[in-house]
Amino acid sequence: MNDGVCDAQGRFLCGSMDYGAADGRCAVHRLEFDGTSTVVLDGVTVSNGLAFSADGTTAVYIDSDTQGVRRYQLPDDDGPRSEYE
């Protein structure tokens, strides 16, 4: 794991990275309240930045290796997850 932060609801999001920085081999995970984890973004390379919109509804993810920025809607509870953008 390379980077982590808690969302407004207290769930921990953390991104992984491959030691060799192999393209797309890693993911961003969210630790749920029941102790399980959910992959929220896959196909990432070097996780290096997780942030949230001011209203707490959107997460922003930065991949250092690809210089990509992705965002996705956060669930407001433990229900179904929104689609990624």
Side-chain angles (χ1 to χ4, degrees):
M1 297 314 221
N2 190 50
D3 191 20
V5 65
C6 284
D7 69 12
Q9 289 78 24
R11 292 172 289 224
F12 183 65
L13 284 87
C14 53
S16 58
M17 69 172 279
D18 181 72
Y19 284 119
D23 252 3
R25 291 192 47 169
C26 300
V28 176
H29 304 262
R30 181 178 52 238
L31 180 62
E32 306 294 349
F33 296 118
D34 65 3
T36 61
S37 66
T38 300
V39 172
V40 294
L41 290 175
D42 58 6
V44 303
T45 303
V46 179
S47 297
N48 240 347
L50 289 163
F52 303 98
S53 62
D55 66 5
T57 62
T58 304
V60 178
Y61 165 79
I62 298 167
D63 190 318
S64 291
D65 189 65
T66 64
Q67 299 181 358
V69 177
R70 295 169 69 181
R71 64 186 174 129
Y72 67 95
Q73 296 299 121
L74 292 168
D76 55 6
D77 57 22
D78 279 327
R81 305 301 183 246
S82 299
E83 291 299 314
Y84 309 119
E85 291 192 23

